[in-house]
């Protein structure tokens, strides 16, 4: 069996980022940036006031208190023409451009002018109540962004604050990677629709919901193909449907083990090839990777937890690469085991809950670790990673964990 790292690298070597497209800025949240963004100007573009107050020459307050003549009223959005001379001030609003001659702003609360109501005219004179230093309450040009400065990096998933920066830069359309498209199918005569009453020997199809939501959360679009019954013809029909849709990845769950009715591998090999179908991990040993009619196929196990773990370990990195995201190892955290953990020597991904105790993250398993037990997965906020070859982790020992 392949190691987890070897299997992941063999899978990833078959994928590259999707093409790019221009989309409106308003629709670009959570999309992956297709090129570096470099500013072509300074921001702020001019010296402006950080508060509502009075633009002044700081040296005029060295002999405080000193009464200044108010010679102008400067709202935000205007370009002042006044030039302040010694002994003069201009009322100014937050964000408004500083007039020439001014090098500081005194907040209105720190003056003798106490009428702060909207619509009130500027006073004839104003007296600062304390000494002001040059630069006080002034946002200088270029203190946020300099012209020529790299602002956003290609491969970044655009966050709300990124859209704000792009708007500030005057970029109405954004170059992003196209969303990967994944065809998803389940396999098995035992599977019922979510709305169907349970029957003897049957179970409801949980994987199609868990995996579809995981695909969308990873930034890809999903084509739901439904359930393939346990016949070659049914499996082939759904795989052909995926091939005809020209998706970027075919993802299946169940049908890749060694059961008498597991036909996924056989059908794939009849119109493509299998690279591997077993990985030295727990849960999720029967994991398949191959190609059907020129399209990559990942076959996850049928047990719900195995399918979820297989997605997190193998499929999510594929979707991130397809989506153009920066190639970065998934963030791991170090946690201390609250109890002894036994393993079978395979690289294991165990469901756990993490809590802070005495300044350290402590992990406890969330009940039975059977690969069909979904409740313990729902209760977990992390997957503990027990390395291959380790059969016992003593209580108090630290291990790596993926946060969920």
């Amino acid at each position: 069996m392949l190691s987890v790292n070897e299997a992941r690298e063999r899978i990833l070597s078959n994928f590259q980022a999707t093409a790019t497209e221009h989309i409106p800025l308003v629709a670009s949240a959570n999309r992956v940036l297709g090129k570096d963004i470099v500013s072509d100007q300074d921001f702020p573009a001019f010296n402006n006031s950080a508060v509502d107050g009075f633009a002044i020459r700081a040296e005029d307050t060295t002999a405080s208190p000193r009464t200044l003549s108010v010679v102008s009223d400067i709202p935000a959005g205007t370009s002042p023409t006044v030039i302040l001379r010694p002994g003069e001030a201009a009322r100014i609003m937050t964000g408004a451009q500083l007039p020439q001659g001014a090098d500081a702003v005194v907040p209105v609360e720190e003056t003798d002018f106490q009428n702060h109501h909207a619509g009130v005219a500027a006073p004839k004179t104003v007296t600062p109540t304390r000494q002001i230093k040059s630069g006080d309450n002034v946002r200088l040009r270029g203190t946020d962004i300099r012209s020529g400065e790299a602002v956003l990096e290609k491969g970044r998933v655009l966050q709300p604050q990124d859209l704000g920066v792009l708007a500030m830069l005057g970029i109405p359309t954004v170059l992003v990677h196209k969303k990967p498209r994944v065809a998803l199918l389940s396999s098995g005569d035992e599977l019922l629709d979510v709305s169907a009453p349970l029957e003897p020997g049957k179970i409801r199809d949980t994987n199609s919901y868990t995996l579809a939501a995981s695909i969308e959360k990873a930034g890809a679009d999903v084509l739901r193909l439904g359930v393939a019954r346990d016949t070659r013809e049914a499996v082939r029909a759904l795989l052909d449907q995926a091939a005809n849709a020209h998706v970027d990845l075919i993802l299946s769950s169940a049908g890749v083990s060694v059961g008498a009715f597991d036909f996924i591998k056989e059908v794939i090999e009849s119109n493509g090839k299998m690279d591997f179908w077993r990985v030295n991990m727990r849960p999720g040993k029967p994991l398949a990777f191959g190609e059907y009619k020129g399209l990559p196929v990942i076959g996850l196990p049928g047990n719900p937890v195995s399918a979820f773990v297989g997605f997190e370990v193998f499929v999510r990195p594929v979707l991130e690469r397809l989506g153009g995201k920066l190639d970065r190892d998934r963030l791991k955290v170090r946690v201390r085991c609250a109890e002894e953990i036994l393993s079978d020597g395979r690289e294991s991904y165990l469901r756990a809950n993490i809590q802070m105790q005495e300044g350290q993250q402590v992990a406890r398993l969330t009940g039975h670790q059977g690969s069909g037990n979904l409740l313990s997965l729902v209760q977990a906020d992390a997957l503990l990673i027990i390395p291959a070859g380790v059969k016992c982790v003593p209580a108090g020992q630290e291990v790596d964990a993926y946060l969920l």
Side-chain angles (χ1 to χ4, degrees), residues 137-271:
N137 304 307
V138 175
R139 303 174 182 139
L140 295 176
R141 173 175 179 163
T143 52
D144 188 7
I145 298 172
R146 285 289 188 184
S147 179
E149 182 178 351
V151 178
L152 297 173
E153 186 179 6
K154 175 182 177 180
R156 179 185 177 94
V157 180
L158 292 172
Q159 304 299 307
Q161 60 269 33
D162 301 336
L163 272 62
V165 166
L166 291 169
M168 185 175 72
L169 294 175
I171 299 176
T173 60
V174 188
L175 186 71
V176 297
H177 285 278
K178 292 182 178 180
K179 284 188 174 184
R181 297 179 65 233
V182 181
L184 176 66
L185 65 138
S186 299
S187 173
D189 284 345
E190 73 277 14
L191 299 179
L192 295 173
D193 183 74
V194 64
S195 60
L198 283 178
E199 302 172 17
K202 303 286 189 180
I203 59 174
R204 293 191 180 97
D205 176 22
T206 61
N207 287 348
S208 65
Y209 291 91
T210 303
L211 294 175
S214 296
I215 290 167
E216 291 171 344
K217 186 177 180 181
D221 289 331
V222 58
L223 172 63
R224 297 170 183 254
L225 298 180
V227 176
R229 296 307 166 192
D230 286 330
T231 67
R232 295 176 181 84
E233 294 73 23
V235 171
R236 183 176 293 108
L238 292 192
L239 290 177
D240 284 344
Q241 188 177 337
N244 293 334
H246 303 290
V247 295
D248 298 297
L249 172 67
I250 301 173
L251 181 63
S252 70
S253 67
V256 296
S257 190
V258 293
F261 298 97
D262 292 339
F263 293 111
I264 296 284
K265 288 191 300 181
E266 178 184 324
V267 175
I268 289 174
E269 288 177 328
S270 68
N271 286 276

Side-chain angles (χ1 to χ4, degrees), residues 278-357:
R278 288 192 302 171
V279 178
N280 189 32
M281 67 182 293
R282 178 175 73 108
K285 180 176 71 173
L287 181 128
F289 177 65
E291 179 184 293
Y292 184 78
K293 293 188 175 180
L295 294 179
V297 182
I298 297 178
L300 297 174
N303 281 322
V305 178
S306 299
F308 178 86
V309 171
F311 182 93
E312 291 298 317
V313 175
F314 299 105
V315 183
R316 185 177 298 280
V318 165
L319 297 183
E320 290 176 349
R321 178 164 293 185
L322 276 170
K325 294 180 184 177
L326 294 169
D327 274 337
R328 289 175 176 163
D329 290 336
R330 182 168 179 171
L331 181 64
K332 298 177 182 177
V333 298
R334 294 291 286 178
V335 298
R336 180 166 55 85
C337 297
E339 58 202 329
E340 180 182 78
I341 297 175
L342 301 179
S343 182
D344 65 357
R346 289 179 287 169
E347 184 166 320
S348 299
Y349 294 80
L350 305 182
R351 287 144 274 170
N353 183 262
I354 297 176
Q355 296 181 340
M356 291 298 296
Q357 292 184 4

Side-chain angles (χ1 to χ4, degrees), residues 110-134:
E110 297 177 3
T111 71
D112 64 344
F113 180 64
Q114 297 300 314
N115 193 338
H116 306 162
H117 298 294
V120 174
K124 298 296 184 182
T125 63
V126 67
T127 303
T129 57
R130 69 174 179 87
Q131 185 174 335
I132 302 296
K133 300 189 297 294
S134 179

